Amino acid sequence: MLISACAAPPAANVEIGFRNPTAPIGGTSRFDKARFAGDWSTVACLGTCSTEVRYVVATDDVFVRQAEGQDTPYLISAPGVLRQMGGDETLVVMWIDEGFRTAAIGDADGRWAAILNRNRKAARDRITAATEILDFNGWDVAKLRKVEG
């Protein structure tokens, strides 16, 4: 009598992100590439975030994210939605204040999100608004941490 041993297949390496993947996420209709371009400081973060980042308009539909000595090009596929060229990351600018001073941005896959500000001293009301938007878009804001420059 032959008995074969059956083993369960190895478990897939599942990465749990900082965002509920069933929650809807969308880019802000207020997004304006020329006004969004420039230098930003990360004041709060989920996951791994660069403390300083710059967005540069390369062409009509291409933005370049400069962070930690690396330039990453993104195609602007919809207002506030930036798809990495030659990669799989999609950045979503979920909110930006009217003065383009504070923004809530994150990776659509839930690997990281950040509250960006034009300088290190963001107004409390704008930080609160950005945090509420992250929460609305399914992010685990209980894990949001302040970033010191």
Side-chain angles (χ1 to χ4, degrees):
M1 174 189 221
L2 210 63
I3 300 177
S4 63
C6 294
N13 186 11
V14 177
E15 182 180 327
I16 303 299
F18 294 96
R19 192 177 96 66
N20 176 351
T22 64
I25 188 171
T28 179
S29 61
R30 185 181 288 158
F31 185 80
D32 177 294
K33 66 183 175 208
R35 292 188 72 195
F36 189 78
D39 296 328
W40 293 91
S41 296
T42 302
V43 294
C45 179
L46 288 162
T48 304
C49 302
S50 300
T51 57
E52 302 294 328
V53 64
R54 173 181 285 167
Y55 289 90
V56 177
V57 178
T59 68
D60 283 345
D61 294 329
V62 177
F63 239 31
V64 175
R65 181 178 188 268
Q66 298 174 331
E68 299 177 16
Q70 192 170 23
D71 290 0
T72 308
Y74 291 87
L75 180 65
I76 302 170
S77 61
V81 179
L82 313 170
R83 297 191 189 284
Q84 183 180 9
M85 297 173 71
D88 63 352
E89 186 174 52
T90 299
L91 300 183
V92 180
V93 180
M94 295 163 271
W95 177 83
I96 192 158
D97 75 300
E98 289 180 12
F100 280 71
R101 299 163 294 180
T102 305
I105 187 171
D107 170 63
D109 288 338
R111 292 178 284 217
W112 66 270
I115 297 174
L116 305 177
N117 200 66
R118 292 294 184 176
N119 58 47
R120 288 259 149 233
K121 299 201 181 222
R124 184 175 305 276
D125 63 330
R126 294 194 317 261
I127 296 297
T128 299
T131 302
E132 289 172 356
I133 291 296
L134 289 174
D135 184 45
F136 179 80
N137 282 275
W139 294 90
D140 185 355
V141 296
K143 295 181 179 173
L144 192 64
R145 68 184 193 289
K146 186 176 180 179
V147 175
E148 301 294 332

